């Protein structure tokens, strides 16, 4: 009986934690990050606000856990990259196009990215640091050995492409739908942008192959 009771407590705790995390997402979607107040989170979750402190340590830690769960690069495992035989060319294209879709389909992540450039917050800095650490593993294990003395240039190109992915997805649907005449809200426009990402990577690797 004690074992069943303990299991029930654990399940209830996990359900309550999930309700709190879902509540953060709902409020962020409807009210923005200014609406993330402890009473509103608890009311939306339908769980006593005391449990926020019991389960997470406080509202900030709850919000931090939600932010961490959404970030693309912070959830990329740099230790489990596939076998690479082309210097990371196809893997680079796959990561960029997947990231474009991931950001495009996640409105709350778009708001968090905007939050990250509008306000200083420890969790947002931690996410940025984690993103850099995971990215560094991928660069150092795959791209740097292949590009050798041109590795920094490859990193700079990736920085421009990733920041472009962030901006285009934050931009669309707010004050406009098109960028350079491409409708970012339509599938055709999405495919054109992803095709351009792949084309740039192909050109970068093609140029490096000529130098080798």
């Amino acid at each position: 009986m004690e074992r069943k009771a303990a299991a029930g407590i654990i399940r209830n705790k996990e359900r309550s934690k999930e309700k709190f995390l879902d509540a953060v997402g709902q409020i962020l979607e409807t009210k923005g990050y200014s609406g993330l107040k402890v009473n509103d989170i608890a009311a939306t979750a339908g769980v006593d606000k005391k449990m926020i402190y019991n389960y997470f340590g406080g509202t900030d830690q709850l919000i931090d856990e939600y932010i961490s769960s959404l970030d693309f690069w912070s959830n990329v495992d740099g230790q489990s990259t596939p076998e690479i035989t082309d210097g990371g060319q196809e893997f680079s294209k796959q990561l960029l196009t997947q990231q474009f879709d991931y950001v495009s389909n996640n409105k709350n992540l778009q708001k968090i990215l905007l939050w990250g450039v509008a306000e200083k917050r420890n969790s947002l800095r931690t996410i940025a640091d984690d993103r850099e650490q995971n990215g560094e593993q991928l660069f150092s294990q795959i791209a740097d050995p292949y590009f050798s003395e041109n590795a920094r240039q490859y990193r700079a190109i990736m920085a421009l492409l990733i920041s472009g992915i962030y901006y285009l997805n934050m931009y669309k649907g707010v004050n406009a739908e098109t960028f350079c005449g491409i409708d970012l809200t339509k599938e055709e426009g999405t495919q054109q942008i992803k095709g351009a990402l792949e084309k740039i990577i192909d050109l970068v690797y093609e140029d490096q192959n000529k130098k080798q």
Side-chain angles (χ1 to χ4, degrees):
M1 293 295 293
E2 290 182 3
R3 186 173 298 176
K4 287 184 178 180
I9 292 172
I10 292 173
R11 285 195 297 271
N12 288 336
K13 177 180 178 179
E14 291 306 313
R15 281 196 294 268
S16 295
K17 289 181 68 175
E18 192 64 34
K19 287 180 180 179
F20 281 129
L21 291 168
D22 289 343
V24 170
Q26 291 176 40
I27 293 172
L28 185 62
E29 184 176 354
T30 57
K31 299 180 180 180
Y33 44 79
S34 62
L36 293 173
K37 310 298 184 184
V38 61
N39 289 333
D40 291 339
I41 294 172
T44 302
V47 182
D48 192 323
K49 68 180 181 181
K50 293 179 181 178
M51 295 298 102
I52 292 178
Y53 301 94
N54 289 344
Y55 296 155
F56 300 95
T59 308
D60 283 346
Q61 293 89 332
L62 164 61
I63 295 171
D64 292 350
E65 185 165 331
Y66 178 80
I67 291 173
S68 180
S69 71
L70 289 190
D71 186 70
F72 178 85
W73 281 95
S74 296
N75 289 290
V76 171
D77 184 1
Q79 300 295 333
S80 59
T81 55
E83 182 179 355
I84 302 297
T85 59
D86 60 357
Q89 183 173 355
E90 291 302 317
F91 188 54
S92 296
K93 292 192 290 186
Q94 181 181 359
L95 278 177
L96 289 171
T97 54
Q98 285 181 352
Q99 186 175 19
F100 186 91
D101 286 337
Y102 185 80
V103 179
S104 176
N105 294 327
N106 198 320
K107 298 298 183 183
N108 281 356
L109 176 58
Q110 295 169 27
K111 293 182 180 181
I112 289 171
L113 290 171
L114 182 60
W115 192 5
V117 297
E119 179 182 323
K120 286 187 176 181
R121 182 181 176 86
N122 288 336
S123 62
L124 295 170
R125 177 58 184 268
T126 299
I127 290 299
D129 290 342
D130 288 345
R131 186 185 301 141
E132 282 295 299
Q133 184 177 358
N134 285 341
E136 179 60 33
Q137 292 177 356
L138 296 172
F139 283 129
S140 61
Q141 293 174 14
I142 299 173
D144 288 356
Y146 182 79
F147 284 93
S148 187
E149 68 273 12
N150 296 314
R152 302 301 295 182
Q153 183 183 60
Y154 172 80
R155 287 174 178 241
I157 291 169
M158 288 293 285
L160 290 172
L161 295 179
I162 292 170
S163 61
I165 287 171
Y166 291 162
Y167 182 78
L168 287 176
N169 279 298
M170 288 189 290
Y171 177 88
K172 69 176 183 180
V174 179
N175 291 311
E177 296 180 345
T178 62
F179 199 96
C180 293
I182 296 176
D183 190 337
L184 302 171
T185 66
K186 298 289 177 31
E187 179 63 21
E188 181 182 6
T190 296
Q191 293 303 321
Q192 289 169 341
I193 295 296
K194 291 198 294 184
L197 291 170
E198 293 180 334
K199 180 65 174 179
I200 292 170
I201 292 299
D202 285 339
L203 290 172
V204 171
Y205 275 83
E206 186 178 308
D207 182 62
Q208 179 64 17
N209 290 336
K210 291 176 181 180
K211 295 175 181 178
Q212 291 177 341

